[in-house]
Amino acid sequence: MNEAELLFSELLGLNRMGLYQKRTLRLDKARAQEAVSVLKRRISGEPLQYILGKTEFMGLEFKVTPQVLIPRPETELLVEKTIELVTKSQSQCVAKRSLPGGDKVTKILDLGTGSGCIAISLAKFLPEAQIDAVDISEEALMIAKENAKLNNTKINFIKSDLFASYELRTMNYELIISNPPYIVSNEISALQPEVRSEPRVALDGGADGLDFYRRLINDAPRYLREGGYLLLEIGFGQREVVKNILNIAKDFEIMDIIKDYNGIDRVVVTRKAG
Ligand code: GLN
């Protein structure tokens, strides 16, 4: 749905079809006032998702507030690729069920979970996986917990600056996933007002936008089993520099780089070398 459809379907309690089936749509006075107030906020640059307090991701509903990044459609590609990889490796495990460890659950870690959209959709689509999700922001974790409940999923949420929490020290995951902050610090002020109303901590990737890739790529091997996957979302123009960080670290083999709907390299799929 486009923004106008979203707004009026919400206001009138109709679905998209319902909006178009009626010849005329009447707003009573209270609703008209509400529409005007929403439109004023929207015109001033506030994202519609924050105004409505929710958004959709992977066909699921998520509560969003200015304490969390608004889930983007491109990030669905990261989630879809993960579902594909885990489903494939789980079916290989089923074939080997008689072997020890053949039926173990897939342990996944989502770093910088924000609204929880990645972790929660993975839990929904991979019911056999065991999912941990961390964020440095207490406020974000509160929203993520609400979203986990809203979607009937069970996630182990941990407050942590990437791998810093003591709780993670002995963890050994099959897959680590992250959509880290990747915007160059001094480019944030030039972004559209909608993006600027999102939490800076979810956007700011440091002086060259790559701080989190360096930290993630250096630290992840310790928490990943051999052959385990590290999947990262990247920003516009970051393909070669992220590849470079991976090549220098030597711990990962690049399996795939996936483009988004605009032809921008968006998802880097890597595997811990054995
Ligand atoms: N995808 C967001 C944007 O382009 C950035 C989010 C991030 O830094 N991971 O605005």
Side-chain angles (χ1 to χ4, degrees):
M1 283 202 267
N2 65 33
E3 289 203 15
E5 290 167 344
L6 272 172
L7 165 59
F8 285 100
S9 64
E10 191 62 27
L11 218 54
L12 294 157
L14 295 168
N15 61 19
R16 187 168 185 269
M17 272 264 270
L19 281 181
Y20 290 100
Q21 271 167 349
K22 299 212 169 183
R23 284 184 149 244
T24 47
L25 291 170
R26 285 199 174 279
L27 292 176
D28 57 32
K29 203 167 171 209
R31 281 184 180 150
Q33 273 171 354
E34 205 184 328
V36 169
S37 113
V38 169
L39 289 170
K40 278 188 180 155
R41 286 170 68 184
R42 184 65 197 90
I43 289 163
S44 76
E46 209 176 322
L48 186 64
Q49 294 92 331
Y50 288 157
I51 302 172
L52 299 179
K54 62 180 181 182
T55 194
E56 202 187 280
F57 182 83
M58 293 294 293
L60 305 169
E61 191 177 305
F62 289 89
K63 172 178 172 168
V64 287
T65 68
Q67 279 73 46
V68 297
L69 187 86
I70 297 166
R72 306 286 203 271
E74 304 88 88
T75 306
E76 294 182 341
L77 294 171
L78 180 69
V79 173
E80 283 162 3
K81 184 68 194 179
T82 304
I83 295 170
E84 183 196 310
L85 287 171
V86 175
T87 310
K88 229 186 254 172
S89 72
Q90 279 177 346
S91 67
Q92 282 162 1
C93 267
V94 171
K96 292 187 283 183
R97 266 243 152 118
S98 52
L99 300 174
D103 59 355
K104 68 175 185 295
V105 291
T106 310
K107 281 173 67 189
I108 299 177
L109 173 65
D110 172 25
L111 289 162
T113 198
S115 65
C117 66
I118 294 176
I120 292 163
S121 353
L122 290 177
K124 207 75 191 169
F125 291 97
L126 297 169
E128 289 183 51
Q130 184 186 310
I131 300 171
D132 292 346
V134 314
D135 207 283
I136 193 170
S137 156
E138 192 87 59
E139 293 94 336
L141 285 172
M142 276 166 60
I143 304 293
K145 283 176 190 169
E146 278 188 53
N147 280 325
K149 209 179 269 175
L150 188 70
N151 286 291
N152 285 314
T153 50
K154 225 177 128 255
I155 314 270
N156 178 30
F157 289 106
I158 302 162
K159 182 175 173 353
S160 179
D161 179 9
L162 297 189
F163 297 101
S165 165
Y166 191 67
E167 220 179 301
L168 290 172
R169 77 200 180 285
T170 56
M171 293 299 195
N172 194 22
Y173 295 97
E174 266 78 45
L175 190 144
I176 298 178
I177 184 169
S178 184
N179 172 21
Y182 53 64
I183 307 203
V184 170
S185 303
N186 64 18
E187 286 177 6
I188 292 178
S189 59
L191 296 174
Q192 345 174 63
E194 285 81 358
V195 183
R196 280 189 278 117
S197 48
E198 295 186 274
R200 189 169 180 116
V201 67
L203 299 171
D204 194 340
D208 63 358
L210 303 170
D211 280 5
F212 289 91
Y213 299 111
R214 288 191 201 91
R215 289 179 58 194
L216 272 163
I217 291 166
N218 280 309
D219 296 347
R222 250 184 291 153
Y223 304 87
L224 206 52
R225 72 156 174 78
E226 256 176 44
Y229 291 95
L230 171 68
L231 279 95
L232 300 169
E233 177 168 326
I234 59 168
F236 177 78
Q238 290 178 329
R239 173 196 165 116
E240 290 308 313
V241 278
V242 171
K243 263 172 83 174
N244 208 24
I245 299 172
L246 283 161
N247 289 335
I248 291 168
K250 293 197 179 81
D251 293 299
F252 294 98
E253 187 187 338
I254 300 170
M255 310 292 291
D256 203 0
I257 296 181
I258 304 163
K259 290 189 192 302
D260 68 16
Y261 326 101
N262 297 312
I264 296 169
D265 293 305
R266 190 59 71 184
V267 175
V268 179
V269 184
T270 75
R271 202 160 190 193
K272 185 175 159 184

